Amino acid sequence: MSNAPRRSGRHFLQIPGPSPVPDRVLRAMDMPVLDHRGPDFGRLGLKVLAGIKTIFKTSNPVFIYPSSGTGAWEAALVNTLAEGDAVLMYETGHFAALWNTMAKKLGLVPEFIESDWRSGADPARIEARLRADKDRKIKAVCVVHNETATGSVTHIADIRKAMDAAGHPALLMVDTISSLGSMDYRHDEWGVDVSIGGSQKGLMLPPGLSFTAVSDKALAVSKSAKLPRSYWSWEDMQAINKTGYFPYTPATNLLYALAASIDMLHEEGLDNVFARHKRHGEATRRAVATWGLENQCAVARDYSHVLTAVRMPDGVNADTFRKIVLDHFDLSLGTGLSKVAGKVFRIGHLGDTNDLTILGALAGVEMGLEIAKVPHTKGGVGSAMQYLAETAKPFAS
Ligand SMILES: *Cc1c(COP(=O)(O)O)cnc(C)c1O
């Protein structure tokens, strides 16, 4: 890095996670490392273990792992299932596919409802499959709330309703890694059994923490579940978490950061945070529509408030475009993953953002389209500005 020319100003990290970390969170982490078995740590542990429940909207335990989100995926499966168990998964996109691959590696038998990566999961297809499962072989239904590869949302309350309508006892497991802290999420009210979160997206933290919220039913099932587990064991966590401690060394400084981020989300007000993300999603989509480019999510009701995946016109490589934008404007856009590699780029509008950072990112995209000679109509940033101006409100004092 030392030979790189200095770039003035801030890098625009507009990928859909990791998202930019606010200065206040960085300062909260800038603390001496403390004894994780000492008295001060117990207070910090109790504080964040209670605080994170308010973000999942649950009164049940939430486990915090020193891991990326993928670790909490594994924790969800190994704590509740046995080798050979059938699980129903839905192919909303790349992240759903990765979870499906993990389930196979762990000795489960996932059934993958295939889809075209252009919408959230269809509750009717899940209901039909569960109704056909007369002898109740399916032990869990696993869906991704916000599919970060495509910008499509699955409506979790509708999935719960579909499962209830089928009268099926499977556990409901939801990946909320890229939606938690950005879009409304209700672990208890929506009847979710296992909800999985990560630190580096809506929670505005660096990567390195993952979360699992559980239901009473999931906890009960875990007592007799047969897959081997040790590091991920909920039982070990639950016992010692009661006093604010962990079975092994937690990511102590990230927990200081977590305490700050929970405070910040509540200071702004969760509903205001969600409304902000929704508004920035709409502004971004208006820009994309004006450019004449297509949203990867083809179902308006499923549009993500976290990111927008934009399809490139045929013959234009999205990664070539992304490189041009990065080289000229120090703006990182998300790459297209697996099936849509080179075909889409993703604009993150999550985390610690405001109207002007979103407009800055959209301006970088619009200028990049021009430099890369991507066929488009100018004025996307103008459309976004118009919408943001029309809907702007002064900050409440
Ligand atoms: C980012 C992400 C993951 C993977 O999380 P890691 O922290 O990279 O392990 C899984 N699912 C979704 C929906 C994500 O956005």
Side-chain angles (χ1 to χ4, degrees):
M1 284 303 279
S2 57
N3 290 331
R6 184 185 118 75
R7 290 186 159 196
S8 59
R10 288 224 169 187
H11 173 65
F12 268 63
L13 183 66
Q14 298 291 150
I15 62 176
S19 68
V21 178
D23 293 349
R24 180 167 155 194
V25 169
L26 292 174
R27 286 195 203 103
M29 291 174 62
D30 185 8
M31 293 285 281
V33 174
L34 80 176
D35 172 5
H36 64 290
R37 310 267 183 216
D40 289 344
F41 184 83
R43 280 190 289 276
L44 174 64
L46 286 175
K47 182 172 178 192
V48 293
L49 287 163
I52 192 66
K53 293 185 190 194
T54 65
I55 307 299
F56 279 95
K57 296 186 180 164
T58 181
S59 51
N60 269 16
V62 178
F63 304 119
I64 305 178
Y65 294 102
S67 83
S68 87
T70 303
W73 266 352
E74 181 159 341
L77 300 176
V78 296
N79 277 285
T80 55
L81 297 164
E83 193 176 349
D85 275 354
V87 294
L88 187 61
M89 298 180 135
Y90 197 107
E91 187 196 8
T92 45
H94 177 69
F95 289 99
L98 286 179
W99 202 7
N100 178 68
T101 302
M102 173 189 275
K104 283 188 220 162
K105 286 184 189 163
L106 292 172
L108 301 168
V109 184
E111 182 177 324
F112 211 26
I113 299 182
E114 287 180 12
S115 171
D116 63 359
W117 288 36
R118 301 210 63 180
S119 69
D122 177 358
R125 292 180 71 190
I126 290 177
E127 183 176 335
R129 183 62 193 90
L130 293 178
R131 281 186 191 279
D133 181 37
K134 296 274 183 250
D135 42 5
R136 306 301 191 224
K137 283 218 162 69
I138 295 169
K139 298 299 175 213
V141 173
C142 302
V143 290
V144 176
H145 182 214
N146 183 75
E147 175 53 76
T148 320
T150 67
S152 305
V153 170
T154 290
H155 303 278
I156 303 304
D158 294 352
I159 303 296
R160 177 79 263 169
K161 258 189 231 149
M163 293 175 68
D164 291 348
H168 199 290
L171 295 169
L172 173 56
M173 302 200 195
V174 179
D175 169 343
T176 178
I177 294 175
S178 64
S179 48
L180 193 73
S182 300
M183 294 181 64
D184 192 15
Y185 192 80
R186 306 173 185 208
H187 175 85
D188 285 3
E189 188 183 321
W190 293 345
V192 182
D193 292 297
V194 188
S195 298
I196 295 140
S199 55
Q200 75 273 31
K201 301 189 181 178
L203 295 185
M204 310 176 288
L205 300 171
L209 293 179
S210 68
F211 311 98
T212 333
V214 292
S215 67
D216 290 336
K217 181 173 161 184
L219 282 174
V221 165
S222 73
K223 303 269 186 277
S224 55
K226 294 273 180 339
L227 278 180
R229 62 215 184 243
S230 169
Y231 185 81
W232 304 114
S233 165
W234 290 346
E235 201 173 8
D236 298 351
M237 275 283 192
Q238 200 185 357
I240 192 165
N241 276 179
K242 290 199 170 80
T243 51
Y245 294 87
F246 289 77
Y248 39 70
T249 317
T252 45
N253 288 47
L254 281 174
L255 297 180
Y256 285 122
L258 175 60
S261 115
I262 294 168
D263 284 349
M264 289 166 75
L265 289 168
H266 287 306
E267 283 167 23
E268 186 175 348
L270 284 178
D271 289 341
N272 295 327
V273 171
F274 303 148
R276 167 165 64 77
H277 281 81
K278 185 174 182 197
R279 194 165 154 268
H280 288 157
E282 178 63 27
T284 302
R285 288 192 299 275
R286 287 186 185 211
V288 171
T290 300
W291 293 326
L293 299 178
E294 209 183 326
N295 191 332
Q296 175 66 19
C297 178
V299 177
R301 182 171 180 253
D302 299 352
Y303 286 154
S304 170
H305 305 168
V306 169
L307 77 140
T308 301
V310 183
R311 286 164 70 92
M312 270 298 182
D314 286 342
V316 186
N317 186 296
D319 288 333
T320 309
F321 166 72
R322 287 175 49 253
K323 183 172 186 320
I324 285 171
V325 170
L326 178 61
D327 290 349
H328 289 76
F329 302 114
D330 202 17
L331 161 62
S332 289
L333 298 166
T335 188
L337 295 164
S338 54
K339 271 193 193 174
V340 290
K343 297 195 173 80
V344 310
F345 68 90
R346 296 172 297 150
I347 305 171
H349 30 82
L350 73 160
D352 191 38
T353 48
N354 63 24
D355 291 4
L356 299 188
T357 51
I358 291 299
L359 288 172
L362 295 175
V365 173
E366 188 160 329
M367 290 188 288
L369 292 170
E370 166 141 15
I371 296 168
K373 298 193 171 58
V374 178
H376 70 288
T377 306
K378 291 194 200 324
V381 177
S383 303
M385 280 171 63
Q386 170 131 25
Y387 171 73
L388 290 174
E390 277 165 15
T391 56
K393 288 199 196 92
F395 293 105
S397 49

